[in-house]
Amino acid sequence: MLRVTFLGTAASRPTVGRNVSSVAVQREGELMLFDCGEGTQRQMMRFGTGFNVGDIFLTHVHADHFLGVTGLLRTLALQDRAEPIRLWAPEGSAAIVWDAINLGRERVPFQVTVAELEPEQVIARTDFDIVAFPVRHGGRALGYALIERPRLGRFNPERARALGVPEGPLFGRLHKGEAVEVDGRMITPDQVVGTPRPGRRLVYSGDTRPARSTVAIAKGADLLIHDATFAEDEAERARLTGHSTAREAGELARAAGVTRLALTHVSARYADDPRPLEREARAAFRGAVVAWDGMEIEIPLQPGEDGEPPA
Ligand SMILES: [Zn+2]
Ligand SMILES: [Zn+2]
């Protein structure tokens, strides 16, 4: 399962219907937050993400992207959390993140780490990577990509048995790509295992002007979540404030050839009626949607026709 829940889709300040930036990503029982604007913890309750969050990736330390850390950590403490939590932020911003963690008299009773990330830094997990990439928002803002490793092709146990491979550890070794010897014969993985299936790719730009680095990392992504603060009539303001227009986001998504585009960081002017943004983005990328608080997107595994094991 790979599910994205938009917790906050407003730019800079909340509106009645939209909270400030945060995106929850649930993957195989793991919960990650990308940005954590003020009030994120309440959005997690409203939209049922649970609180089992292990990592918070901050794109930058503008207040609308990280002030929620203070309250969220207090709530986790009241829930008797014991597991550590890891916060990640661009180079040079750890001190500000620590201020948010330590604000108030209570001490956080579980382990908190804050790691600074350089652009292009990779956080490797068992079967996916989180890649920080540079964006254009002044200072050292980062975007993040969740990139799954290719999945093993499907294993055909009947075929393996027919070839005389005894059920047990040899099955696992073949599945992982190792040739094994059975009664003096070599059995190779391609006899019993399909080709690897591509992993999924999810890209979150954070606040940014359109950036080549975003196009590069979003190539073929299943979902791109991009800054679309303004419509075209405020293109100049977008340029001056380090944000994108909806049309720019649409053009970038088309250039990258992504499957889906969700627009976020919506200026208060469009909070109640984001249709102008959607229209402008769709002129470049059909199917673009302006995200709303509570919107969920499930990212399916890519069709596994090439993952079928040999018959
Ligand atoms: Zn912002
Ligand atoms: Zn910002």
Side-chain angles (χ1 to χ4, degrees):
M1 185 254 266
L2 182 58
R3 177 190 295 150
V4 174
T5 307
F6 290 84
L7 299 176
T9 55
S12 310
R13 62 189 162 101
T15 65
V16 172
R18 295 179 185 269
N19 201 45
V20 283
S21 291
S22 184
V23 175
V25 175
Q26 287 165 288
R27 187 187 175 281
E28 326 250 324
E30 193 176 332
L31 173 63
M32 297 163 255
L33 291 183
F34 292 86
D35 284 330
C36 186
E38 184 184 355
T40 292
Q41 54 167 329
R42 188 151 180 277
Q43 300 293 82
M44 296 166 78
M45 294 174 204
R46 284 182 74 192
F47 303 125
T49 61
F51 278 97
N52 192 23
V53 52
D55 297 274
I56 304 177
F57 299 94
L58 301 171
T59 56
H60 62 304
V61 285
H62 280 161
D64 59 316
H65 294 259
F66 83 100
L67 283 189
V69 164
T70 309
L72 173 58
L73 293 186
R74 298 307 179 283
T75 295
L76 294 177
L78 292 170
Q79 293 170 347
D80 297 324
R81 183 190 177 99
E83 300 77 39
I85 193 165
R86 297 168 293 269
L87 281 74
W88 310 84
E91 278 181 299
S93 46
I96 294 172
V97 176
W98 277 116
D99 285 347
I101 294 164
N102 290 324
L103 188 65
R105 285 205 188 280
E106 315 84 346
R107 290 284 76 99
V108 179
F110 49 87
Q111 193 199 349
V112 183
T113 55
V114 180
E116 293 190 348
L117 293 171
E118 292 167 34
E120 318 294 358
Q121 201 167 328
V122 176
I123 303 159
R125 291 290 160 82
T126 315
D127 45 11
F128 66 95
D129 291 324
I130 300 287
V131 183
F133 62 94
V135 294
R136 296 169 57 208
H137 187 54
R140 292 167 165 150
L142 296 173
Y144 291 102
L146 186 160
I147 303 174
E148 290 182 337
R149 311 236 172 83
R151 290 169 181 253
L152 296 177
R154 290 202 184 86
F155 184 74
N156 185 335
E158 290 82 41
R159 179 107 176 94
R161 278 186 219 106
L163 288 165
V165 183
E167 207 159 326
L170 292 187
F171 273 31
R173 282 169 55 192
L174 277 164
H175 197 187
K176 289 193 187 108
E178 231 181 280
V180 301
E181 199 184 317
V182 178
D183 304 329
R185 290 174 298 124
M186 285 310 279
I187 310 290
T188 54
D190 59 291
Q191 293 177 277
V192 291
V193 184
T195 50
R197 290 166 281 173
R200 292 165 291 191
R201 180 176 292 238
L202 159 64
V203 176
Y204 172 56
S205 75
D207 291 3
T208 183
R209 294 286 304 136
R212 267 197 291 272
S213 50
T214 311
V215 179
I217 204 154
K219 274 270 179 303
D222 299 271
L223 173 65
L224 170 64
I225 302 167
H226 202 278
D227 179 328
T229 308
F230 298 112
E232 274 310 297
D233 61 340
E234 293 189 280
E236 179 63 9
R237 195 161 153 219
R239 199 176 60 75
L240 293 173
T241 56
H243 291 291
S244 302
T245 65
R247 197 186 80 188
E248 288 171 332
E251 286 168 350
L252 189 151
R254 189 175 59 189
V258 305
T259 304
R260 298 178 81 170
L261 170 64
L263 307 172
T264 191
H265 205 268
V266 174
S267 161
R269 185 173 149 191
Y270 308 101
D272 295 333
D273 182 10
R275 280 174 298 183
L277 297 180
E278 216 156 66
R279 242 188 335 264
E280 290 184 8
R282 284 181 181 175
F285 187 89
R286 273 176 55 181
V289 289
V290 175
W292 61 87
D293 289 20
M295 183 173 95
E296 284 183 1
I297 297 180
E298 296 257 1
I299 304 175
L301 274 172
Q302 291 178 17
E305 79 277 281
D306 53 354
E308 292 300 331

